[in-house]
Amino acid sequence: MARGKPVASHPAQFTNQRRTGFDAISKSRIKRFPKRFVARFFPRSRLAKPKKKKRKHKPGGWQDWLSDRILRGAIWLALRLPIRARLWLMGRLVRHLVAPLAGYRQRAEENLRHIWPDMGVLDRRRLADLVADNAGRTMIDNYDVHGLMRRMQHATVSGEGLAAVEAAKEAGQPVLFVTGHFGNFEAPRAALVARGYRIGGLYRPMSNPFFNAHYAANMHALSDPVFEQGRRGTMGLVKHIREGGMGVLLFDVYDSAGATIDFMGQPAPTLTSAADIALKTGALLVPFFGIRQPDGVSFEAVFEAPIEHGDPVEMMREATRRLEARVRAHPEQWFWIHRRWKPKRQRKRAAAKMAP
């Protein structure tokens, strides 16, 4: 054996011969070195380089401001176009510009992967783009309040719950409608308002504060009273319902304080507020859905049979099943953009509960 040559007991040792001294030290000893020592004397080591933290999106930042300015300009322009051109423009704008810029496309794809892990990458991207397109169309639909009511006045209105709603109106019985971020959730409300109903509501402010300012004003333009989500808002809606009024609640929103109810096969914390209000006020609990038709312009407003009063969790579980059936039939019309599940946070909470 020639002198001066290293003897390797394992092939991996040949690759280690050119590493820096620190990289060759055992892992058990690495932990004993201060970070400053590593960075000073072994700058080429992988351990000397700090890990880059992903920057979290903060509401009210330049991205939100820029997204809002783009949308405001597009809304102003779109409202001056014929209806079909307007919807096409806003759908494409949100699909190709706003959704990628604001991270909506990525969030939709993550949610789709969570629910349908076997779905291909291209199918996820295609579906996420269709979701963004529907979101853009829905937004401009709802910014033309009077135009939406004119369209819904002649739209198809159906469902087993329609007769019950009409009877409740005649008798002065309160009605609480429940729905999700599906199709255009304002379309059924506009159909009722166009037919002489007064429908209140409770809305959740948008995470983008610049966009929320004109979003909230537009919510009030369709029909009052409308309340911002929170303790005061809920009390205002309960008072309106108790006095024989009608209102709408969107229930497919993540809330850690909610009951764990499976949605699309995965646990999704869901508040029982809608069921609680219906039980306290004696209101009918009626699911409704505004389903966008294949032409991309018109809607069918479907009013389903009222949910029977009983245990609040079971009532919301039934409401969730009704929404899930619509999403499975038209997955491109549900708002996959929002954070409905938050699996990492849910796992942490579950682990904390199991800890001694």
Side-chain angles (χ1 to χ4, degrees):
M1 180 181 295
R3 298 181 62 181
K5 292 186 178 180
V7 179
S9 60
H10 192 279
Q13 286 190 6
F14 287 111
T15 60
N16 288 337
Q17 289 172 7
R18 293 187 179 181
R19 291 182 181 177
T20 59
F22 186 75
D23 282 341
I25 297 175
S26 65
K27 292 183 179 179
S28 60
R29 295 179 63 189
I30 286 175
K31 297 179 181 178
R32 302 175 190 174
F33 285 89
K35 291 183 179 179
R36 289 182 181 179
F37 178 85
V38 175
R40 181 176 179 181
F41 294 100
F42 303 98
R44 294 179 60 188
S45 171
R46 294 188 301 273
L47 299 174
K49 299 177 182 179
K51 294 182 179 179
K52 292 183 179 180
K53 295 182 178 180
K54 293 184 178 180
R55 299 177 64 182
K56 294 184 178 180
H57 173 71
K58 295 182 179 180
W62 70 268
Q63 288 176 310
D64 282 349
W65 180 87
L66 182 58
S67 296
D68 176 64
R69 291 296 156 177
I70 292 172
L71 286 172
R72 282 178 185 256
I75 289 167
W76 182 88
L77 174 63
L79 289 176
R80 281 148 183 80
L81 297 174
I83 182 66
R84 290 184 180 276
R86 175 193 314 170
L87 293 173
W88 182 89
L89 174 64
M90 289 305 296
R92 293 303 187 276
L93 178 68
V94 174
R95 176 177 182 167
H96 295 297
L97 185 60
V98 176
L101 177 66
Y104 297 154
R105 175 193 281 169
Q106 180 182 352
R107 194 181 305 163
E109 291 185 17
E110 289 173 355
N111 282 331
L112 288 166
R113 188 184 301 110
H114 181 59
I115 299 303
W116 292 312
D118 295 333
M119 181 180 285
V121 174
L122 295 180
D123 289 335
R124 277 201 304 269
R125 172 58 58 85
R126 181 186 63 83
L127 187 50
D129 285 344
L130 291 175
V131 168
D133 189 276
N134 181 69
R137 289 171 181 262
T138 298
M139 182 183 63
I140 200 62
D141 277 333
N142 298 341
Y143 266 92
D144 182 17
V145 173
H146 299 293
L148 180 61
M149 283 195 289
R150 285 194 300 270
R151 289 158 59 196
M152 293 310 299
Q153 189 172 11
H154 305 289
T156 301
V157 179
S158 62
E160 297 179 28
L162 188 58
V165 172
E166 292 173 346
K169 181 185 178 185
E170 293 297 325
Q173 182 184 7
V175 178
L176 181 59
F177 299 101
V178 287
T179 190
H181 294 80
F182 175 85
N184 185 339
F185 46 85
E186 292 287 16
R189 182 172 170 227
L192 293 179
V193 172
R195 289 164 173 77
Y197 289 75
R198 183 169 177 248
I199 313 294
L202 190 70
Y203 78 96
R204 185 172 186 169
M206 303 292 283
S207 59
N208 183 331
F210 303 106
F211 183 77
N212 186 66
H214 48 100
Y215 168 77
N218 204 62
M219 290 285 291
H220 286 272
L222 180 56
S223 179
D224 271 331
V226 177
F227 307 94
E228 183 175 322
Q229 185 175 340
R231 187 170 180 274
R232 291 183 61 185
T234 302
M235 290 175 62
L237 180 64
V238 171
K239 181 181 178 183
H240 170 69
I241 298 293
R242 183 175 282 126
E243 293 173 351
M246 297 185 179
V248 182
L249 274 180
L250 276 71
F251 68 90
D252 60 336
V253 177
Y254 180 96
D255 194 301
S256 58
T260 302
I261 296 175
D262 279 3
F263 175 55
M264 303 297 292
Q266 293 291 343
T270 305
L271 290 176
T272 60
S273 305
D276 294 334
I277 293 173
L279 292 171
K280 288 179 180 178
T281 61
L284 292 179
L285 190 64
V286 180
F288 71 31
F289 303 99
I291 305 172
R292 192 178 297 277
Q293 298 303 288
D295 62 4
V297 178
S298 59
F299 296 95
E300 179 182 1
V302 180
F303 295 83
E304 297 193 350
I307 296 173
E308 292 186 10
H309 285 196
D311 177 69
V313 175
E314 289 304 316
M315 291 172 70
M316 295 312 300
R317 186 169 281 119
E318 175 61 22
T320 301
R321 280 194 288 264
R322 305 273 189 98
L323 173 60
E324 183 175 313
R326 299 292 173 180
V327 176
R328 291 189 183 279
H330 303 280
E332 76 285 354
Q333 294 199 36
W334 190 66
F335 206 64
W336 293 90
I337 289 169
H338 78 164
R339 298 181 178 92
R340 183 64 185 98
W341 290 277
K342 301 184 181 180
K344 291 182 180 180
R345 185 178 299 181
Q346 288 175 258
R347 284 194 293 269
K348 287 182 179 179
R349 287 182 178 276
K353 288 181 180 180
M354 294 177 64

